Amino acid sequence: MTTVRREAFGRMPPEEGGGEVEKFVLQSDSVRVEILSFGCIITTLETKDRDGQFSDVVLGFDTLEGYKRKHPFFGAVVGRVANRIANGRFKLDGKEYQLFLNNGPNSLHGGAKGFDKVLWSPQVLPNGVRFFRLSPDGEEGYPGDLKVWVTYTLSGRELAINYQAQTSKTTPISLTNHAYFNLAGQGSQDVYDHEISIEADSYLPVDDTKIPTGEVATVQGTGFDLRQPVELGKHLQKFHLDGFDHNFCLHQGQDRRLVARVFHPPTGRTMEVHTTQPGIQFYTGNNLDGSLKGKGAATYPKHSAFCLETQNWPDAVNKPHFPNVLLHPGEEYNHTTWLVFNTA
């Protein structure tokens, strides 16, 4: 049985149209998750350890003000296009589109005011909540009126996130949730003792601005071979890696498949990621620097969390040999990611 509760969380400033920000609390026997109508943000995700103790395993803030200030997309749904687009530029049907540059020379996670920074319209479901918004033609430089639905449902140990969209003009789209996890509990200093595996035979090498070079490289014999579980801290040392911020190329297909698993031996917590998406961005919080005050006055230093963002491959709109990222009028974008929490 999942219970769903809604409560006030804050108000948008008048210059942004006012409007109440609500929080939706989804609770089952083993998982409790809180989600905002602002940015569809997961603010809290509590799950049990092997002794049955709940801990909050996602980074975030206690107040709306925290999420309104500049932060690294904690818990938010990002779009229209997750990840980076080279030079914020792409061509469609002979026309060139220029996006806002918010990540060095590139456009990241939708631009200056992406889906993470706006109020969505909520609808309570028996076991979850569905958010809707219309992204108007030209918003952040993207073509077409885009209708978007993001649905969170909780059943037992499994949180499902479904993304649907329809457009009036051909547009690139790639949606993901940018939750930062630490299975020891948010506020823990690093994720070095986590064991991770990712079901991917290849990954995308990137240039110095984090744009894929276009090569689809085998993981075999490299530090990117995570097909068998590795202990993160030791693995980074062994391969002299500063951390991960890379797309892993998943086996293609429309069906649900297990793509990643994380295990935290001290608490026994495990998290599995299942998805229909063609890629997963594994990011180890390399840019966290301890400057943000998070929940319960926690600070978040470098490598104090990891992200597993299921999505299309970065810069796919400029790389025809990458999986198709274009949505055409009359089609439906429909992807789901499932997070399954257990103890071992």
Side-chain angles (χ1 to χ4, degrees):
M1 259 302 285
T2 300
T3 60
V4 183
R5 205 172 75 241
R6 68 195 297 175
E7 51 192 64
F9 188 72
R11 285 199 79 78
M12 296 293 282
E15 64 272 16
E16 292 184 48
E20 184 174 36
V21 177
E22 290 186 284
K23 177 170 80 176
F24 297 83
V25 184
L26 283 44
Q27 187 156 6
S28 71
D29 291 342
S30 40
V31 176
R32 182 174 175 277
V33 58
E34 300 181 0
I35 307 154
L36 300 183
S37 56
F38 177 73
C40 302
I41 291 170
I42 295 175
T43 60
T44 302
L45 201 160
E46 294 177 358
T47 172
K48 287 179 179 174
D49 66 10
R50 66 164 66 88
D51 300 323
Q53 295 295 308
F54 277 96
S55 274
D56 181 6
V57 297
V58 295
L59 277 52
F61 303 103
D62 291 320
T63 63
L64 180 60
E65 284 60 51
Y67 292 105
K68 293 284 297 161
R69 286 195 292 271
K70 189 169 164 49
H71 68 94
F73 305 95
F74 285 152
V77 164
V78 293
R80 280 187 195 191
V81 176
N83 219 307
R84 294 169 179 86
I85 294 178
N87 305 309
R89 220 177 283 143
F90 61 89
K91 257 204 174 107
L92 264 184
D93 305 326
K95 183 178 173 190
E96 185 160 284
Y97 293 86
Q98 178 65 56
L99 311 171
F100 185 81
L101 306 181
N102 61 335
N103 187 248
N106 307 315
S107 183
L108 174 71
H109 294 328
K113 191 177 179 185
F115 290 2
D116 59 299
K117 297 180 183 71
V118 292
L119 207 48
W120 294 62
S121 304
Q123 176 197 353
V124 171
L125 306 175
N127 62 339
V129 57
R130 176 177 292 131
F131 298 102
F132 169 79
R133 85 174 292 253
L134 172 69
S135 171
D137 186 17
E139 182 174 63
E140 285 298 322
Y142 287 98
D145 284 331
L146 186 75
K147 292 178 177 171
V148 191
W149 296 264
V150 178
T151 307
Y152 292 90
T153 48
L154 179 64
S155 68
R157 302 172 179 279
E158 181 175 278
L159 177 66
I161 313 174
N162 173 257
Y163 308 89
Q164 288 167 280
Q166 298 164 355
T167 185
S168 64
K169 292 180 187 168
T170 301
T171 185
I173 179 173
S174 174
L175 302 175
T176 193
N177 178 285
H178 207 314
Y180 285 68
F181 295 95
N182 186 321
L183 298 185
Q186 74 90 30
S188 301
Q189 288 304 286
D190 62 63
V191 287
Y192 297 142
D193 59 355
H194 289 51
E195 294 174 6
I196 181 147
S197 56
I198 297 178
E199 302 275 332
D201 299 327
S202 51
Y203 78 102
L204 300 180
V206 293
D207 68 17
D208 54 7
T209 74
K210 300 281 195 294
I211 292 288
T213 60
E215 180 193 0
V216 180
T218 178
V219 299
Q220 185 75 39
T222 73
F224 295 88
D225 191 346
L226 305 176
R227 292 173 294 187
Q228 296 298 318
V230 303
E231 190 180 319
L232 200 51
K234 286 180 182 160
H235 186 81
L236 293 177
Q237 273 182 322
K238 178 182 173 183
F239 288 95
H240 308 291
L241 296 169
D242 185 49
F244 288 94
D245 191 1
H246 294 79
N247 178 82
F248 286 76
C249 308
L250 305 174
H251 302 293
Q252 302 295 299
Q254 281 305 296
D255 297 334
R256 170 177 177 160
R257 57 215 184 278
L258 172 66
V259 296
R261 187 172 185 273
V262 186
F263 172 48
H264 184 242
T267 60
R269 286 193 183 91
T270 66
M271 180 175 103
E272 288 179 357
V273 183
H274 303 244
T275 193
T276 59
Q277 290 274 23
I280 189 166
Q281 185 86 2
F282 178 37
Y283 173 54
T284 48
N286 313 328
N287 298 323
L288 298 174
D289 59 7
S291 62
L292 291 170
K293 269 275 193 288
K295 289 180 281 193
T299 56
Y300 300 136
K302 182 175 177 171
H303 296 160
S304 61
F306 64 89
C307 305
L308 286 165
E309 305 156 67
T310 53
Q311 56 188 254
N312 206 319
W313 299 6
D315 201 35
V317 71
N318 291 311
K319 299 195 166 60
H321 61 296
F322 282 9
N324 172 48
V325 72
L326 296 179
L327 180 68
H328 301 279
E331 297 175 346
E332 180 167 72
Y333 175 91
N334 193 337
H335 278 289
T336 308
T337 293
W338 296 264
L339 303 175
V340 185
F341 299 91
N342 264 305
T343 51

